[in-house]
Amino acid sequence: MKSDIEKAKSLLKSEGYTCVVCSEDKIYTSTERGVKPLLAWIDGNTDMKGFSAADKVVGKAAAFLYVILGVKAVYADVISEPAKQVLNENGIDVEYVTLTDAIRNRAGTGFCPMETAVKSISEPAAAAEAVRRKIEELK
């Protein structure tokens, strides 16, 4: 039987999702980009404690949101060094394909606004608030 992280990775790659979180027979998926699905799960009080996640891109903001969700493992196609550090510091297992200094914005012209919003933050709840403020600014 596949482990939860292997199941999440397989679904991420084969089904075109941007994010998959699973534990045994419970599976949550999203095709939305960025931190939107993570915030939706937090806002919906979705219990993901002990789940494993697979995500296309994990920056520091997403890492903090995974900490809030309580996942035990995160796989990322691309992860930033600050995100890896946040996950490691919070006892979350990390697997990845590409490690980068920082996540770039979608246009490739600078850094991801979410990564920038949490750059100097070290506490998950403060990071979530900073992410929400940045999303409102960008609307």
Side-chain angles (χ1 to χ4, degrees):
M1 188 171 120
K2 278 187 181 178
S3 71
D4 291 334
I5 196 72
E6 290 304 320
K7 189 184 326 177
K9 284 165 54 175
S10 176
L11 287 168
L12 182 80
K13 293 180 184 313
S14 68
E15 301 296 325
Y17 296 117
T18 55
C19 181
V20 177
V21 185
C22 63
S23 177
E24 297 176 10
D25 293 334
K26 286 187 179 174
I27 300 171
Y28 298 92
T29 61
S30 181
T31 55
E32 291 192 85
R33 294 168 64 166
V35 297
K36 275 185 181 178
L38 306 181
L39 287 171
W41 290 326
I42 289 168
D43 292 345
N45 294 315
T46 308
D47 182 10
M48 294 187 169
K49 288 184 181 34
F51 279 56
S52 295
D55 202 321
K56 294 260 184 207
V57 179
V58 177
K60 188 175 179 183
F64 277 125
L65 298 178
Y66 278 122
V67 170
I68 292 168
L69 286 166
V71 302
K72 68 177 181 182
V74 173
Y75 161 83
D77 287 340
V78 178
I79 192 169
S80 69
E81 183 62 51
K84 181 176 175 271
Q85 185 176 344
V86 165
L87 295 171
N88 287 335
E89 287 171 356
N90 286 278
I92 298 172
D93 293 336
V94 182
E95 292 180 38
Y96 54 88
V97 175
T98 303
L99 179 65
T100 185
D101 290 340
I103 303 302
R104 307 281 298 166
N105 64 24
R106 290 180 187 150
T109 57
F111 295 112
C112 167
M114 298 303 140
E115 184 108 339
T116 302
V118 300
K119 186 174 182 171
S120 62
I121 294 175
S122 59
E123 204 276 317
E129 281 307 307
V131 166
R132 291 179 194 284
R133 278 193 308 275
K134 181 53 77 174
I135 289 170
E136 283 303 310
E137 276 178 35
L138 295 173
K139 282 185 177 176

